[in-house]
């Protein structure tokens, strides 16, 4: 039986995989820190580019979404069994504008850099940093 | 006995190219901790809520000039199996997966003055479905559109 051990080990090693993916460019925290209430929409767009999503908020104005998503997967094929762990997190910024197209609120969450590879049985949400929107 | 063991191994290797059992853990975004959820009270301003929770997953225009912020995340373990066999014209495959597709979500509804009016917990699909239905109602109602 010991003679099969190296072969089994080699098969197991050969069936590991890791992959990563991303959507949109990462958001630059230095640029985001310059967003302030009162900034007109055209300056926001000049700074961050075209938003990924625009929501019209009745006659109160609108909200622009800027988003970058990153994902990492790691897994293992063991003959008939696939074990994998996939983690997806986003950098997300919402800029709220009033009816006059001036910034009223900015909300940001930068989590994409915390995306990680993990073993299939690992819980990635057990240790999270303090949430903050500024 | 030795030959039997070898045959089993070869059989398993052969099967592995067309049959697989899958066990996949998926994490999407980061959950809202209970401590923060419980600190949300009607009357909080939009700024206070954004400071507490960060950027929402979606912002939705609701009825009565309200605005909803939706935060969503997913933590799931999905399992299933797939079978793939060659046939004369190519290949056929079958996949069975027990997936908890819905994402967990919380929704914060703000009034016209950007004050928190109500909160709810549920599934993302439910909140987005409600928004879609309301939007379709708006489009089917001439009176509302003229407002």
């Amino acid at each position: 039986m010991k003679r099969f051990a190296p072969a089994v080990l080699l098969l197991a090693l050969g069936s590991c995989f890791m992959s990563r993916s991303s959507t949109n460019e990462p958001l630059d925290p230095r640029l985001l820190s310059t967003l302030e209430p009162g900034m007109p929409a055209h300056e926001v767009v000049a700074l961050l580019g075209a938003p990924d999503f625009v929501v019209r908020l009745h006659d109160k104005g609108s909200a622009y979404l800027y988003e970058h998503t990153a994902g990492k997967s790691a897994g293992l094929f063991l003959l008939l069994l696939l074990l994998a762990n996939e983690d997806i997190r986003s950098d997300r910024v919402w800029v709220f504008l009033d009816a006059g197209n001036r910034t009223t609120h900015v909300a940001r969450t930068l989590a994409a850099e915390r995306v990680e590879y993990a073993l299939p049985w690992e819980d990635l949400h057990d240790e999270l940093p303090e949430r903050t929107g500024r | 006995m030795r030959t039997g063991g070898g045959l089993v191994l070869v059989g398993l290797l052969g099967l592995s190219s067309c049959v697989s059992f899958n066990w996949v853990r998926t994490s999407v975004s980061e959950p809202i901790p209970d401590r923060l959820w419980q600190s949300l009270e009607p009357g909080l301003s939009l700024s206070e809520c954004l400071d507490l929770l960060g950027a929402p997953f979606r912002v939705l225009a609701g009825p009565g000039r309200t605005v909803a912020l939706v935060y969503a995340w997913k933590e799931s373990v999905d399992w299933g199996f797939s079978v793939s066999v060659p046939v004369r014209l190519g290949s056929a495959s079958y996949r069975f997966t027990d997936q908890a597709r819905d994402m967990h979500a919380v929704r914060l509804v703000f009034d016209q003055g950007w004050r928190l009016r109500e909160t709810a917990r549920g599934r993302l699909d439910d909140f987005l479905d409600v928004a879609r239905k309301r939007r379709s109602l708006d489009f089917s109602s001439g009176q509302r559109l003229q407002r």
Side-chain angles (χ1 to χ4, degrees):
Chain A
M1 194 62 193
K2 283 184 181 174
R3 284 195 306 175
F4 287 115
V8 170
L9 186 62
L10 281 173
L11 282 170
L13 282 176
S15 56
C16 293
F17 70 87
M18 297 169 90
S19 69
R20 58 189 298 175
S21 61
S22 70
T23 309
N24 297 338
E25 296 280 327
L27 301 174
D28 185 344
R30 286 174 306 170
L31 291 180
L32 300 180
S33 64
T34 62
L35 293 172
E36 285 183 349
M39 183 180 275
H42 68 84
E43 285 185 22
V44 173
V45 172
L47 201 66
L48 301 179
D52 299 308
F53 199 60
V54 176
V55 183
R56 185 164 169 73
L57 304 175
H58 310 289
D59 55 356
K60 286 201 276 192
S62 54
Y64 292 180
L65 169 66
Y66 293 89
E67 191 172 36
H68 158 65
T69 300
K72 287 184 178 176
S73 302
L76 176 67
F77 278 111
L78 292 171
L79 295 178
L80 303 182
L81 182 63
L82 164 65
L83 300 170
N85 198 335
E86 182 179 32
D87 186 22
I88 299 170
R89 304 190 204 205
S90 300
D91 290 343
R92 201 173 286 133
V93 173
W94 281 97
V95 181
F96 292 83
L97 302 155
D98 62 18
N101 275 331
R102 290 204 169 262
T103 303
T104 57
H105 301 82
V106 177
R108 65 178 187 170
T109 296
L110 304 181
E113 67 173 10
R114 292 197 289 273
V115 72
E116 56 185 310
Y117 295 110
L119 295 169
W121 45 87
E122 275 187 276
D123 180 4
L124 292 170
H125 284 166
D126 57 350
E127 288 180 12
L128 294 173
E130 195 75 14
R131 279 187 96 95
T132 176
R134 290 288 167 98
Chain B
M1 187 65 186
R2 197 178 290 172
T3 310
L7 282 175
V8 169
L9 185 62
V10 169
L12 284 174
L13 285 172
L15 269 178
S16 67
S17 58
C18 56
V19 178
S20 69
F21 296 89
N22 310 317
W23 191 90
V24 180
R25 179 186 284 271
T26 308
S27 310
V28 180
S29 294
E30 296 175 348
I32 303 288
D34 281 345
R35 179 180 53 79
L36 289 183
W37 167 251
Q38 285 159 6
S39 68
L40 297 173
E41 291 176 354
L44 284 177
S45 68
L46 176 65
S47 297
E48 289 170 319
C49 292
L50 294 177
D51 281 348
L52 274 174
L53 304 180
F57 178 74
R58 285 287 177 269
V59 174
L60 307 169
R65 300 177 69 210
T66 60
V67 172
L69 308 188
V70 178
Y71 294 82
W73 68 93
K74 179 177 178 177
E75 294 174 297
S76 70
V77 174
D78 305 322
W79 63 271
F81 69 88
S82 59
V83 181
S84 180
V85 292
V87 295
R88 181 175 286 185
L89 298 175
S91 69
S93 63
Y94 173 76
R95 181 181 294 269
F96 172 78
T97 309
D98 173 33
Q99 282 196 330
R101 287 183 189 280
D102 293 346
M103 294 175 76
H104 301 283
V106 300
R107 183 183 61 191
L108 283 60
V109 178
F110 291 84
D111 62 20
Q112 296 177 40
W114 288 116
R115 290 280 163 189
L116 183 60
R117 197 167 85 178
E118 61 182 64
T119 57
R121 290 172 97 155
R123 299 283 177 177
L124 178 62
D125 278 359
D126 298 335
F127 295 146
L128 296 185
D129 277 351
V130 168
R132 274 196 289 268
K133 282 171 191 164
R134 281 179 179 153
R135 217 168 25 244
S136 65
L137 277 175
D138 284 348
F139 280 118
S140 64
S141 161
Q143 280 189 332
R144 279 187 156 190
L145 280 174
Q146 287 163 12
R147 183 179 55 203

